[in-house]
Amino acid sequence: MSTHASDPLAALGSLPGVADAVDSVRKAVDRVYGHRVMRRRSNEISSEAALRGARGSAALSGADWALEEVRRRTDFSTDPEARTVGAALRLGAEAGQLLSIWRQSPLRVLARLHLVAAGDPEDSVGRPRLDGERVDEPLIEGPAPTPAEVAGRLDGLAELIVAGSGAPALVTAAVVHGELLALRPFTSYNGLVARAAERIALVGSGLDPKAVCPAEVGHAEQGRAAYLAAFEGYLSGTPEGVGGWIAHCGRSVELGVRESTAVCEALQRGAA
């Protein structure tokens, strides 16, 4: 018996291209989890995935640093790009600590993610923006939804997460990501928070329990233009547009898997 009428996320599984994307992602994730190095050194793969995911997320937000510079740097307070990279790294480290809270109180998790990204106790940090507060988001142009609309849609998203869904993990994660980009609920770092929340949804669902499939790597590898084009499809609300966004997120996960597979191979050769 179908439960799609009461499970709007599950209904998205029938959109164009989504079933194929879900199947392709599942097979890719299974392959990397089956790698012999994962059985012995998964913590190292997870740490490297977090670092590379942070680099990718920061790149999409305008701080496109080489991986070795991200790895080497210790001071992330010197300029806007450095602060963006530092925020992405902090989010990567924090995301794993919030999994137990996500299914009970996703809004608390989002507030915590913004607080961690911003790294300061200003009044606007860690809560949705108010009327008259400006949104600083370098990637997404156009007018942001009103605070009232943000509050309503955030509540709706939280209800879906708390209620649980029969939807594939990829679908849920892509919708979380897309909604947060669309809403830009905070005064800053919305893109970084959206991609961190996507990661939490993928890990918390059980699809990627060891956090070794960094979708942020794939989003960055496909490029800002492709990312924005897919996001415009999500914003359109059409079946093709939303399905295209979910498929784009799926491809990003697959590219993240490829990155971690390369790390496994390097460790196996003793080169990393």
Side-chain angles (χ1 to χ4, degrees), residues 83 90 114-126 188-189:
R83 287 193 289 274
R90 290 192 298 273
H114 186 241
L115 183 64
V116 167
D120 63 52
E122 288 184 13
D123 177 60
S124 64
V125 169
S188 60
Y189 296 117

Side-chain angles (χ1 to χ4, degrees), residues 112-173:
R112 175 64 184 168
L113 289 175
H114 186 241
L115 183 64
V116 167
D120 63 52
E122 288 184 13
D123 177 60
S124 64
V125 169
R127 61 156 174 78
R129 55 189 166 79
L130 305 175
D131 284 318
E133 290 183 330
R134 191 174 70 89
V135 178
D136 178 16
E137 180 51 57
L139 188 61
I140 309 299
E141 298 179 352
T146 66
E149 183 179 353
V150 167
R153 286 174 62 177
L154 279 180
D155 284 345
L157 181 64
E159 287 171 8
L160 288 175
I161 293 166
V162 171
S165 171
L170 172 64
V171 172
T172 301

